[in-house]
Amino acid sequence: MAKYSSAASWDPNLLVELLINGEEQVKKLEANLGEQASPEFCRTLAQNIESTFKKAIKMVKLRDQDAGHVLPPFCSNNTTPSLSPESPLSANASPRSETSDRVFKDQERREISKKRKTLPKWSNQVRVNPGAGIEAPLDDGHSWRKYGQKDILGAKHPRGYYRCTHRNARGCLATKQVQRSDSDPTIFDVVYRGEHTCSCEKPLGAVAHAPASQQTGTQQSQYVAGEHQKQQQQQQQQQENQLLLNFQTNLKVKTEGLDMGKHEHDVSSFSFPSTPIGCSQPRHSFFANQANLDNHFMDSFSPTFLSPTTSESNYFSVSPCRMSNLSTGFNHHTAESEFTEIISSVTSAANSPVVDMGFILDAGEFDAFDPSNFF
DNA sequence: TGTATTTGACCGGG
DNA sequence: CCCGGTCAAATACA
């Protein structure tokens, strides 16, 4: 963490690590080639490698681009955001002169729209139980409050806008957009923006101990992961597996995205069962998964960092919650540029076209990854 | 009564 | 000017 916090903007060393990571991924690919890994997976892995190097290139370019920029739009956790004008907190906590309220509002609006552009952004695809057909907030471990809904041009279904419930209380700027996929009604595209400055305290604890209860009844029922309820004993293990599955699935689909050129959000299916938990213990696993793939790459870069400018180059699967945590630690990386992180998970193995993956987590690696080291 | 959702209006960017 | 994103009053709900 300190490692990164020191890298307020760009660090050649990080680039080197990125490249090294690429190399290691190549090795992994080689290893997988000799095993049972599906050709698809190997291919996606290869694509991932490609994207890794693309990122490296991008990073260099970005560095030049960002040379003029100063600070990330929001600060990391340890430093309370210097309450930008847009900060709800400022609206709440700081006595804003009420006389010129309108003026302030206008200013705020501008600031907000400016800053929002720079907020980290990543997307999920959430698959819900077919038949459940309920527009769901898709609980991901955070409490969201809907503040708008909009019909989107060309989309069959309206897009829902959610912001963190603690926005006012804690100035959490995290927002998300949920939109049902046109092609597959059981899939929701969830775009997250901003990190949860409120998270990882309450949510974490809650998630850690009651992953299932965390989801509302309706939401819970939507998720294909009925096994969550029925197989709670194996919950953790399943989650870990799911995470793995998710990752592979992501890779796969994302690769497709790569193939297509730029598909920011057209990704794979995603499920939340693991997502909420992403904040808690399983996120260990998750990270381990990441670590498995990315090895110390993840140790070196935040996912956000991996997606310097935009979507086109992101093929990392990260739990939103995790993500927020990560970005928390790496704001300086993410903040500068808008990015889209493609995150996806699979709600259930049943939903996953790629259940058996050759992507096996090594216990050693698993244990080796210690979040505490990370932060 | 307090909180969450709905929904039409508003605003800014492209 | 259009469209996406947000606001905020009205409404629903517990």
Side-chain angles (χ1 to χ4, degrees):
Chain A
M1 181 111 168
K3 182 178 180 180
Y4 310 102
S5 55
S6 64
S9 57
W10 187 82
D11 186 348
N13 293 330
L14 295 182
L15 177 59
V16 172
E17 288 193 53
L18 183 56
L19 294 172
I20 291 174
N21 175 73
E23 184 185 6
E24 297 211 353
Q25 288 186 69
V26 172
K27 290 177 184 174
K28 279 191 167 56
L29 176 58
E30 288 175 349
N32 277 288
L33 282 174
E35 297 178 10
Q36 295 180 342
S38 70
E40 285 175 328
F41 173 65
C42 291
R43 187 161 173 273
T44 54
L45 189 51
Q47 298 286 354
N48 201 35
I49 292 167
E50 181 186 351
S51 70
T52 296
F53 286 111
K54 281 183 178 177
K55 286 163 194 162
I57 295 170
K58 236 177 195 176
M59 190 188 304
V60 175
K61 291 181 180 177
L62 268 180
R63 179 217 174 192
D64 297 334
Q65 290 177 5
D66 293 343
H69 300 179
V70 188
L71 286 174
F74 48 83
C75 312
S76 57
N77 273 353
N78 37 7
T79 59
T80 300
S82 49
L83 294 190
S84 54
E86 68 154 314
S87 169
L89 235 162
S90 67
N92 263 359
S94 73
R96 177 174 59 186
S97 104
E98 299 183 4
T99 55
S100 53
D101 203 43
R102 217 166 236 288
V103 179
F104 270 108
K105 276 187 180 177
D106 287 346
Q107 285 181 343
E108 275 190 27
R109 266 186 177 272
R110 279 186 215 115
E111 294 290 335
I112 288 173
S113 66
K114 270 186 189 177
K115 287 213 165 189
R116 288 217 169 110
K117 273 190 165 182
T118 64
L119 283 177
K121 172 184 161 189
W122 63 100
S123 67
N124 279 346
Q125 282 212 339
V126 182
R127 175 166 301 198
V128 299
N129 194 352
I134 302 171
E135 300 278 350
L138 301 171
D139 195 341
D140 51 9
H142 294 283
S143 54
W144 299 96
R145 176 169 180 165
K146 190 173 187 177
Y147 67 87
Q149 179 171 305
K150 192 86 175 175
D151 287 324
I152 300 303
L153 198 71
K156 294 177 183 176
H157 308 284
R159 175 179 300 168
Y161 299 88
Y162 300 83
R163 70 164 65 105
C164 179
T165 304
H166 308 107
R167 177 185 178 131
N168 291 331
R170 310 179 74 166
C172 181
L173 294 180
T175 63
K176 76 171 179 180
Q177 301 172 0
V178 179
Q179 184 166 23
R180 182 173 288 208
S181 168
D182 286 346
S183 52
D184 187 349
T186 66
I187 292 180
F188 290 84
D189 289 325
V190 183
V191 177
Y192 293 87
R193 275 186 192 166
E195 65 171 323
H196 277 278
T197 56
C198 67
S199 66
C200 305
E201 289 159 29
K202 267 195 208 166
L204 269 187
V207 168
H209 295 87
S213 64
Q214 186 186 25
Q215 300 172 345
T216 66
T218 48
Q219 289 162 2
Q220 173 82 21
S221 63
Q222 290 179 51
Y223 298 120
V224 186
E227 56 260 28
H228 259 276
Q229 294 171 318
K230 299 175 184 176
Q231 310 174 3
Q232 287 216 349
Q233 295 171 348
Q234 306 174 359
Q235 199 174 39
Q236 287 185 5
Q237 190 173 355
Q238 272 197 0
Q239 287 158 355
E240 290 169 7
N241 290 338
Q242 282 180 355
L243 287 168
L244 289 172
L245 295 175
N246 297 343
F247 192 76
Q248 186 183 14
T249 305
N250 297 339
L251 282 180
K252 180 183 176 185
V253 183
K254 285 159 188 171
T255 302
E256 291 172 3
L258 256 190
D259 293 339
M260 302 283 296
K262 42 180 176 181
H263 275 264
E264 293 197 13
H265 303 155
D266 290 348
V267 207
S268 64
S269 59
F270 165 87
S271 76
F272 268 112
S274 57
T275 313
I277 306 143
C279 282
S280 60
Q281 189 179 5
R283 85 184 176 190
H284 269 246
S285 352
F286 182 78
F287 234 86
N289 300 338
Q290 286 279 2
N292 187 42
L293 231 207
D294 303 325
N295 234 352
H296 70 276
F297 180 77
M298 281 305 295
D299 201 22
S300 310
F301 303 94
S302 110
T304 61
F305 183 67
L306 296 178
S307 43
T309 33
T310 52
S311 38
E312 50 181 314
S313 55
N314 272 307
Y315 309 98
F316 286 87
S317 147
V318 180
S319 132
C321 185
R322 182 69 211 154
M323 191 63 185
S324 75
N325 291 338
L326 274 179
S327 55
T328 286
F330 302 102
N331 280 339
H332 38 275
H333 290 312
T334 76
E336 296 250 24
S337 57
E338 199 174 327
F339 73 94
T340 298
E341 188 74 22
I342 308 264
I343 308 158
S344 42
S345 313
V346 180
T347 303
S348 71
N351 279 337
S352 172
V354 206
V355 174
D356 291 327
M357 49 186 304
F359 196 30
I360 302 196
L361 190 60
D362 181 90
E365 289 187 28
F366 190 97
D367 292 337
F369 183 83
D370 181 6
S372 62
N373 294 336
F374 202 85
F375 302 106

